[in-house]
Structures are given as structure tokens and as C-alpha cells.
Amino acid sequence: LLDAAARILSQVPPFALVFLGEGPLEGRLRARATELGLTDRVRFLGFREEIAPLTAALAVATLPSFFEGMGLVVVEALASGVPVVASRGGGVVDVARAGAILVPPGDPAALGAALLGLLTDEARRAELGRAGRASIDRRFSAEGMAEAIGGVYREGLARE
């Protein structure tokens, strides 16, 4: 993400990268931000109990990991109407059916291009935000989850 941000820095209006959470990579991320001259654009907010208001304030959310089991951050962002740029890997592919742009893992050029496309196109961000929220509302509401579970049972019973 930091390498992608450095690639697009001069092509977008001023932006800030916000890292939520804590972890063993924070020191390396801070050092890389310094190497790339991004310290004035990067904020490490640490652990937060309530991230919904922070997520909702984002122009774009990103999850550029190599593998995610589900990608809860993707669900939270899409539920807030925030478009997502994420790496194509693991459960993110299933969660981000609408409202997201998926890029190959470990590809700063593709990640940067996708971010640049959204950061410079407000209408596209809004369109993806609406599509993502509708998809999450449908699939992760109590009714949507009950229907999905019922479908699994129906499919299992049909095999017998």
C-alpha cells in the first residue's frame, strides 16, 4: 500500500493513508513510510474499539493483503457505502462481489492504479459505494444469512 501510494502521490489531491489496528509490522510500515517520504500523509491510529465512524469517513478502503479468510474490514467498509480496493485472495473474492475492485496480491502498480482511478472519480466511488452497501445489506442481513443457511441445508438434503 505504501509503495502504491508513493506511485500516485503527485496525481491525486492531497490524501492521507489511515492504518487502523496494531500489529508486529507497524515498525516496518513506519520505516517504509519514512523511506518513501510519506510521513506527512500516513496516520497510524492504533487499536480502536469503534471503527464504524472512521470507516464511514474514508473515501476508499483498502485491504492489500496476500490472503484473508473473510476480510471483515471489506464487509464493514462496504456496509458503510465505502468502495474497496483489495487483493484478490481467499474469502475477499466472495465477500467483495460488488462495490470493490480486486487486484493481484503483491502488485503495487495495480493497487496504485485502482486507487488512483477511484480517488479521481467521485461518481465511480459513489456508484461502487451504493452497489457494495446493497450487496452487503442483502447478503449479511439476518434475512440474507438465514436464506443462505437454508440454501445450504436444501442443497444437502437434495443430495440424499
Side-chain angles (χ1 to χ4, degrees):
L1 176 57
L2 292 168
D3 289 342
R7 289 173 180 262
I8 65 171
L9 188 62
S10 65
Q11 301 170 59
V12 294
F15 65 90
L17 292 176
V18 178
F19 286 85
L20 294 170
E22 299 173 333
L25 296 178
E26 185 175 335
R28 288 178 35 202
L29 291 171
R30 287 179 182 272
R32 186 66 178 149
T34 300
E35 288 172 21
L36 294 169
L38 295 173
T39 53
D40 61 330
R41 300 284 186 110
V42 178
R43 309 287 181 271
F44 292 90
L45 301 185
F47 175 79
R48 295 286 199 257
E49 283 286 331
E50 184 60 42
I51 65 163
L54 296 170
T55 301
L58 299 174
V60 177
T62 185
L63 185 64
S65 48
F66 286 94
F67 181 85
E68 289 290 332
M70 177 185 175
L72 183 57
V73 68
V74 172
V75 174
E76 291 168 337
L78 294 174
S80 295
V82 175
V84 172
V85 176
S87 296
R88 190 179 298 113
V92 171
V93 174
D94 293 324
V95 171
R97 293 181 189 164
I101 297 172
L102 300 177
V103 298
D107 188 341
L111 180 62
L115 289 169
L116 179 62
L118 287 179
L119 291 171
T120 57
D121 188 343
E122 188 175 341
R124 179 81 170 126
R125 284 195 315 270
E127 173 189 330
L128 284 176
R130 283 189 300 275
R133 179 177 284 168
S135 173
I136 294 301
D137 285 350
R138 238 183 351 269
R139 293 171 41 224
F140 290 92
S141 66
E143 296 82 12
M145 296 293 284
E147 178 58 33
I149 292 168
V152 170
Y153 281 113
R154 285 189 294 279
E155 184 179 311
L157 290 171
R159 290 183 184 168
E160 295 203 8

